[in-house]
Amino acid sequence: SDYYQLDDLLTPEEKAIRKQVREAVETEIAPIIAKYWERAEFPFEIVPKLANLKVAGGTIKGYDCPGQSVVASAIVLAEIARVDASCSTFIMVHSSLAMLTISMCGNEHQKKKYLPSLAQLDTISCWALTEPNYGSDASSLSTTATKVEGGWKLDGQKRWIGNSTFADILVIFARNTTTNQINGFIVKKGTPGLTVSKIENKIGLRIVQNGDILMKGVFVPDEDRLMGINSFQDTSKVLALSRIMVTWQPIGISMGVYDMCHRYLQERKQFGASLNSFQINQEKLVRMLGNIQAMSLMGWRLCKLYESGKVTPGQASLAKAWNTLRARETVSLGRELLGGNGILSDFLVAKAFCDLEPIHTFEGTYDINALVTGREITGTASFKAPPNRGIRAKL
């Protein structure tokens, strides 16, 4: 699927990481993943295999983390998503959200205490920002943090939190009742007052264990407050990089679907000829291929803008929105090309078709990301409906 030879833009280290991860996930994850997807269960057996790749921590330097380039870290997520988007999301949440928050907003003691075991995947983390009543409008979150002797008391709810049902460490965002600003906290599994329940009946990313988190008087010692988070703007610093990482998941998904379809059309025959000899099938395959080239080049350029300190929120949002839109078209075409087999999870495409839907939504829906870019290029924010000026429709 690398028709325009994106590999020429990569460093030798980035090429090596791509090759290593691709071989590992094709060997270790691809043969077993469909059954876990069907049962909506997490494959804990793959965690040691992912740990052996030494990719957790991504761009973080030191503390046993790999210190990769932004491009390399993005490629890791794409290559895992090429085989399974849920496993890619597991690593993205753990590495590019929770670990990155501790790295960017934690003190030296917290980094030394938590990051090494997280980098080895000996402990697992999640990142809890979204709430039942605040998704796109996350800055209005209502979970509270009240200062008490020796620490903080957290009260509230979180929803759609990936990895939360089994995470050892939960990075929680709450509103300081004194300052009314957003603060960050590290909460350990099993803390009294903390309850996590799995969200059932999802049609996409079924392997990701999304949970509802309920906190009633959860005590967090002062040493586990992330002192670098004092407003929502500090949270946005983490999201600036994680949104770039998410931009590469639809690239990986599309590559996997294209590769499956390309092989399928060569092998399957109808009307006495291979399916790849029919004009309409070639046109669909070419459209898929074109989408992948454009998505990959946009993703690569976005990484380079971040590394040079030039990236803007609008640029990151445009890439995330546009890539998921193009990936939606790509997997839809792939589903058509496989005919009846396109609705079977065994053939990858149906699973990818479903998995892309939540990716189209999380880390900012398509519409919200479009409006972030729209605000940047017009200078006018349009997130909220204009005030009602009392104009009544004429009957």
Side-chain angles (χ1 to χ4, degrees):
S1 59
D2 187 15
Y3 193 62
Y4 278 7
Q5 301 177 31
L6 174 65
D7 268 2
D8 288 351
L9 301 175
L10 306 181
T11 67
E13 293 78 12
E14 290 162 354
K15 292 178 183 179
I17 290 170
R18 184 177 208 165
K19 182 175 184 292
Q20 178 192 20
V21 174
R22 177 170 292 197
E23 291 176 351
V25 295
E26 286 184 345
T27 303
E28 306 289 354
I29 296 178
I32 65 168
I33 207 64
K35 64 181 181 181
Y36 284 101
W37 193 88
E38 291 286 354
R39 299 198 299 257
E41 296 176 357
F42 185 81
F44 289 100
E45 64 181 283
I46 72 167
V47 174
K49 297 165 185 177
L50 290 173
N52 289 337
L53 292 174
K54 300 187 184 302
V55 295
T59 58
I60 301 171
K61 292 179 171 59
Y63 313 100
D64 294 337
C65 296
Q68 299 166 341
S69 68
V70 175
V71 173
S73 188
I75 285 174
V76 167
L77 291 180
E79 287 297 330
I80 298 174
R82 178 176 169 269
V83 168
D84 183 71
S86 293
C87 292
S88 177
T89 300
F90 160 72
I91 284 291
M92 191 277 295
V93 170
H94 174 78
S95 184
S96 300
L97 284 172
M99 290 184 68
L100 189 63
T101 299
I102 295 172
S103 172
M104 294 178 70
C105 305
N107 58 36
E108 191 64 21
H109 172 74
Q110 290 166 335
K111 295 175 188 179
K112 290 180 178 178
K113 180 178 179 180
Y114 293 111
L115 289 178
S117 64
L118 292 169
Q120 299 299 321
L121 291 176
D122 292 330
T123 52
I124 305 299
S125 57
C126 71
W127 196 82
L129 176 65
T130 302
E131 297 184 356
N133 295 321
Y134 298 101
S136 298
D137 189 16
S139 62
S140 298
L141 64 84
S142 61
T143 296
T144 59
T146 305
K147 188 70 180 79
V148 295
E149 185 178 353
W152 299 80
K153 184 183 69 172
L154 304 187
D155 293 279
Q157 300 178 65
K158 299 292 179 179
R159 184 163 173 81
W160 293 114
I161 309 307
N163 303 350
S164 60
T165 61
F166 57 84
D168 303 289
I169 294 169
L170 302 84
V171 175
I172 303 281
F173 296 89
R175 188 173 302 280
N176 187 316
T177 55
T178 301
T179 66
N180 202 38
Q181 294 294 325
I182 306 301
N183 291 166
F185 303 87
I186 298 172
V187 179
K188 300 180 182 66
K189 179 171 69 175
T191 300
L194 176 69
T195 305
V196 183
S197 56
K198 179 182 175 180
I199 297 175
E200 303 281 2
N201 304 319
K202 297 187 301 172
I203 67 162
L205 294 181
R206 288 173 55 78
I207 291 171
V208 176
Q209 304 299 293
N210 293 95
D212 284 314
I213 299 175
L214 177 63
M215 292 166 285
K216 292 184 177 180
V218 172
F219 177 76
V220 180
D222 283 326
E223 66 179 28
D224 283 332
R225 157 122 187 252
L226 291 163
M227 297 302 293
I229 301 176
N230 296 295
S231 71
F232 191 76
Q233 291 302 313
D234 296 318
T235 306
S236 297
K237 295 174 185 177
V238 178
L239 290 171
L241 181 54
S242 68
R243 188 158 292 159
I244 294 172
M245 296 296 111
V246 172
T247 295
W248 281 78
Q249 287 188 287
I251 297 172
I253 293 170
S254 298
M255 289 193 301
V257 170
Y258 175 86
D259 291 344
M260 171 61 75
C261 291
H262 186 272
R263 183 168 66 250
Y264 185 86
L265 294 182
Q266 287 181 316
E267 296 173 353
R268 186 168 173 81
K269 295 183 178 181
Q270 291 290 296
F271 305 105
S274 297
L275 288 180
N276 66 2
S277 66
F278 293 90
Q279 290 179 348
I280 195 167
N281 290 341
Q282 288 190 10
E283 188 279 333
K284 290 179 180 178
L285 202 62
V286 169
R287 207 181 332 160
M288 295 165 67
L289 183 63
N291 283 344
I292 294 168
Q293 308 320 299
M295 292 159 60
S296 299
L297 290 167
M298 181 177 275
W300 177 83
R301 180 57 182 155
L302 190 64
C303 290
K304 290 300 181 181
L305 285 170
Y306 185 90
E307 288 178 339
S308 64
K310 297 178 181 178
V311 74
T312 68
Q315 290 170 336
S317 289
L318 173 61
K320 197 274 180 179
W322 193 85
N323 273 9
T324 56
L325 188 67
R326 294 278 68 82
R328 253 182 161 185
E329 179 187 34
T330 302
V331 300
S332 180
L333 290 168
R335 204 225 61 74
E336 292 175 16
L337 286 172
L338 263 65
N341 288 327
I343 65 169
L344 296 175
S345 61
D346 293 346
F347 281 81
L348 172 71
V349 176
K351 182 167 71 68
F353 184 95
C354 293
D355 285 344
L356 186 60
E357 286 305 291
I359 293 175
H360 188 65
T361 298
F362 71 43
E363 283 274 1
T365 65
Y366 172 85
D367 298 311
I368 290 296
N369 275 308
L371 294 182
V372 170
T373 306
R375 176 182 61 187
E376 194 167 281
I377 63 176
T378 67
T380 302
S382 59
F383 297 98
K384 297 180 181 180
N388 185 347
R389 302 188 185 278
I391 299 175
R392 300 178 63 182
K394 295 181 179 179
L395 298 177

